[in-house]
Amino acid sequence: MKKVLNYINGEWCEGSSGKYIPVTNPANGQVLAEVTQSTNEDVDRAVTAAKSAQKEWSLVPAPERAEVLYKVANLLKERKEEIAQILTSEMGKVIDEGRGEVQEAIDMAYYMAGEGRRLFGDTIPSELRNKFAMSIRVPVGVVGIITPWNFPIAIASWKSLPALVSGNAVVWKPATETPMVAQEFVKIYEEAGLPKGLINLVNGSGSVVGSAMVEHPQINLISFTGSNEVGKAINGRAGELLKKTSLEMGGKNAVTVLEDADLDLAVEGILWGAFGTAGQRCTATSRVIVHNEIKVELEKKLISRIKELKMGDGLDETVKVGPVINSAALERIDEYVKIGQKEGAKLLTGGQIIKENGLEKGNYYAPTIFTDVTPEMRIAKEEIFGPVVSIITVNSLEEAVEVNNSVEFGLSSAIYTANVNNVFAAMRDLDTGIVYINAGTTGAEIHLPFGGTKGTGNGHRDSGVAALDVYTEWKAVYVDFSGKLQRAQIDNY
Ligand code: UN1
């Protein structure tokens, strides 16, 4: 059986619990490998290695640090197909999306390598004569990153690459479901020549490894993507310890379709956003807010097109909807569908676990659409993280915006309309970190900030230049070349 190991201080090693847990293919239940399980002790070793490596790394000029990132980018590009195959096998998303996700990491690697020659600060005029002022970025120190299974390489790239180019060292706990892709990514860092101790992979559960990272006094920042409950717990404890956090949590994203929209385009966007990745994106379309006048027509089009979505193993190039991650997820999704029915929503299509036609051994849920959903229903408010979408009817743009903004999350939103006035009003009023006009709720590009408002995050952003604000501290530097004491705010007034 293939073993997935930890990587600490440049060595591949077993976790000190001595235990392993299986890595399973969600498409067919096949055990692909087993992954080592770690304890506090492993976290401590990783942090110690990171701490000592970071000291030297912070002195390496950023353009030289970036040389490693260019190599990482090139290696990812060379191995794109191989990594995508592993990703699809252990996570389940269809292979085209697997390739897309690896591409996201490649893009991020080149982009952050470029930052090695920027990492801009500012020069700012001093209020005093013969005095120079500037702000510069300095690394935070040792960064703990905790990443989810739904984008196992893209999200790890959003976090590790800006951390490293800015001069930090990383301790990484990947999701227990997707350690194989994590191992491939770390192998690439190793091969690219990243000095030992700068990236450390510690496999294990959130309750053991994740908690040990949050508690560790020498981890200065925790960057987390995952569920709301875990994010809150991390933030609570990290707050007490005065530790920096960057949190990216749930979504309850909506596509609004106004009466003047191109309906066929909207249908494409909804199907892709709701059922791509089997609905397991933070950015997935979970609600459709439709103008009353076109509701029936939109529903008809959705039902007819949904039949074209072939379900199955994501490695089959003709499949459009893969499995969900595990049986617990399958049950949770089914539970939400039952809740929706009890709440009085009308099931238009789907609503069941699929256990036939060769899909018996995987975790398949039929693409599901509810209609006549009201904003107060639980299925309209809570994140389901599966292929389930709820249609809510409104009578105006204003009402649509109100419904869009009524949930506790604020990651992504989309609006289909041909009216330029509606477009600009929506851009202003939709309360989400990402807004799409005439495109669905997924598909963020790495050079823009990724993140959301309200329960989705804590004000920070992954990717884009904004990510650098997470992984660096600002240092203000004043150089007084007057040769005398100059008192700011006093001697100049
Ligand atoms: C996520 O689901 O957390 O915008 C990440 C998108 C992808 C990233 C999703 N580029 O859908």
Side-chain angles (χ1 to χ4, degrees):
M1 180 62 60
K2 234 193 247 164
K3 284 191 166 31
V4 182
L5 298 175
N6 286 343
Y7 185 73
I8 296 176
N9 204 19
E11 306 278 338
W12 291 97
C13 52
E14 208 171 62
S16 58
S17 79
K19 293 197 186 102
Y20 282 81
I21 61 167
V23 185
T24 311
N25 183 338
N28 54 26
Q30 190 201 339
V31 175
L32 300 166
E34 48 181 25
V35 55
T36 192
Q37 296 297 287
S38 315
T39 66
N40 292 15
E41 215 178 282
D42 303 299
V43 172
D44 193 52
R45 277 204 309 124
V47 177
T48 306
K51 179 94 190 151
S52 106
Q54 193 265 331
K55 208 170 159 202
E56 168 54 26
W57 184 240
S58 69
L59 301 177
V60 174
E64 199 180 318
R65 297 197 289 253
E67 290 301 320
V68 178
L69 272 68
Y70 279 116
K71 287 193 192 129
V72 167
N74 291 339
L75 287 165
L76 283 168
K77 199 169 169 182
E78 262 171 43
R79 294 199 200 140
K80 178 174 170 179
E81 185 60 28
E82 191 190 324
I83 298 171
Q85 297 276 337
I86 296 172
L87 202 163
T88 291
S89 313
E90 73 175 348
M91 184 275 160
K93 65 177 65 175
V94 299
I95 188 66
D96 242 3
E97 293 184 38
R99 292 179 187 124
E101 184 183 338
V102 180
Q103 187 58 46
E104 204 161 334
I106 296 169
D107 295 343
M108 191 67 188
Y110 282 119
Y111 179 70
M112 279 298 152
E115 275 308 319
R117 288 190 182 269
R118 287 187 293 266
L119 282 176
F120 294 138
D122 296 304
T123 61
I124 302 127
S126 165
E127 64 188 44
L128 291 156
R129 282 177 189 241
N130 298 324
K131 193 173 172 188
F132 187 89
M134 62 192 139
S135 66
I136 55 175
R137 290 184 184 276
V138 295
V140 170
V142 177
V143 169
I145 70 176
I146 302 177
T147 55
W149 49 261
N150 72 329
F151 275 81
I153 195 162
I155 292 178
S157 80
W158 293 354
K159 297 181 189 299
S160 60
L161 292 156
L164 289 166
V165 81
S166 327
N168 301 284
V170 172
V171 175
W172 176 20
K173 188 201 100 58
T176 43
E177 292 85 352
T178 51
M180 290 166 71
V181 167
Q183 175 175 258
E184 291 308 305
F185 195 16
V186 171
K187 274 195 210 155
I188 283 178
Y189 273 122
E190 183 181 34
E191 230 177 292
L194 186 71
K196 66 176 189 166
L198 291 175
I199 187 131
N200 300 277
L201 184 68
V202 187
N203 286 287
S205 67
S207 56
V208 176
V209 175
S211 296
M213 286 166 67
V214 175
E215 294 295 332
H216 203 292
Q218 282 172 336
I219 289 190
N220 310 87
L221 157 71
I222 296 283
S223 177
F224 166 81
T225 297
S227 75
N228 216 256
E229 305 85 73
V230 176
K232 272 187 196 149
I234 290 177
N235 218 28
R237 185 62 188 137
E240 283 171 359
L241 299 168
L242 284 183
K243 192 170 285 205
K244 247 179 135 183
T245 58
S246 169
L247 307 173
E248 210 53 75
M249 299 168 290
K252 189 68 191 173
N253 318 295
V255 167
T256 291
V257 189
L258 294 184
E259 69 278 25
D260 56 16
D262 176 337
L263 276 195
D264 291 314
L265 188 66
V267 165
E268 298 263 8
I270 292 165
L271 293 176
W272 170 232
F275 306 124
T277 331
Q280 303 169 107
R281 293 191 189 217
C282 305
T283 52
T285 305
S286 187
R287 299 178 293 157
V288 172
I289 303 168
V290 61
H291 194 285
N292 205 9
E293 278 175 26
I294 49 158
K295 175 193 182 236
V296 175
E297 201 184 339
L298 182 77
E299 285 175 3
K300 245 195 256 158
K301 283 180 190 278
L302 282 170
I303 294 171
S304 95
R305 290 289 312 281
I306 209 169
K307 297 193 186 95
E308 296 164 18
L309 300 179
K310 180 174 167 193
M311 289 196 85
D313 186 333
L315 288 177
D316 172 346
E317 304 268 354
T318 64
V319 161
K320 294 279 183 278
V321 182
V324 298
I325 190 73
N326 52 31
S327 56
L330 206 56
E331 275 154 36
R332 201 199 55 247
I333 295 162
D334 201 45
E335 190 56 34
Y336 267 110
V337 168
K338 292 197 179 106
I339 291 169
Q341 284 169 308
K342 250 188 245 146
E343 287 178 311
K346 185 172 150 208
L347 190 60
L348 272 187
T349 177
Q352 81 248 19
I353 295 172
I354 307 282
K355 284 283 173 208
E356 60 204 23
N357 301 330
L359 303 184
E360 293 78 1
K361 293 192 177 140
N363 310 313
Y364 295 95
Y365 205 88
T368 299
I369 304 179
F370 274 113
T371 192
D372 298 339
V373 175
T374 60
E376 303 75 40
M377 291 181 185
R378 281 183 65 192
I379 56 166
K381 290 198 292 202
E382 296 172 21
E383 186 175 43
I384 300 176
F385 225 63
V388 179
V389 68
S390 293
I391 300 178
I392 302 168
T393 311
V394 293
N395 289 301
S396 64
L397 169 64
E398 291 68 32
E399 202 191 333
V401 167
E402 204 179 305
V403 171
N404 182 86
N405 295 352
S406 67
V407 292
E408 68 171 274
F409 300 106
L411 182 55
S412 177
S413 57
I415 184 164
Y416 284 86
T417 174
N419 179 320
V420 71
N421 296 343
N422 288 341
V423 167
F424 277 85
M427 277 162 53
R428 182 193 57 202
D429 297 337
L430 291 169
D431 182 14
T432 52
I434 306 169
V435 172
Y436 291 95
I437 308 296
N438 291 327
T441 56
T442 65
E445 301 173 25
I446 61 90
H447 45 304
L448 276 79
F450 184 95
T453 60
K454 301 185 281 186
T456 293
N458 65 338
H460 294 292
R461 292 292 182 266
D462 273 321
S463 84
V465 176
L468 298 176
D469 290 332
V470 173
Y471 300 100
T472 57
E473 298 273 6
W474 282 114
K475 184 179 279 186
V477 180
Y478 301 90
V479 182
D480 192 321
F481 56 99
S482 69
K484 58 181 186 206
L485 172 69
Q486 298 200 86
R487 297 174 305 169
Q489 296 96 30
I490 298 171
D491 290 336
N492 45 338
Y493 287 99

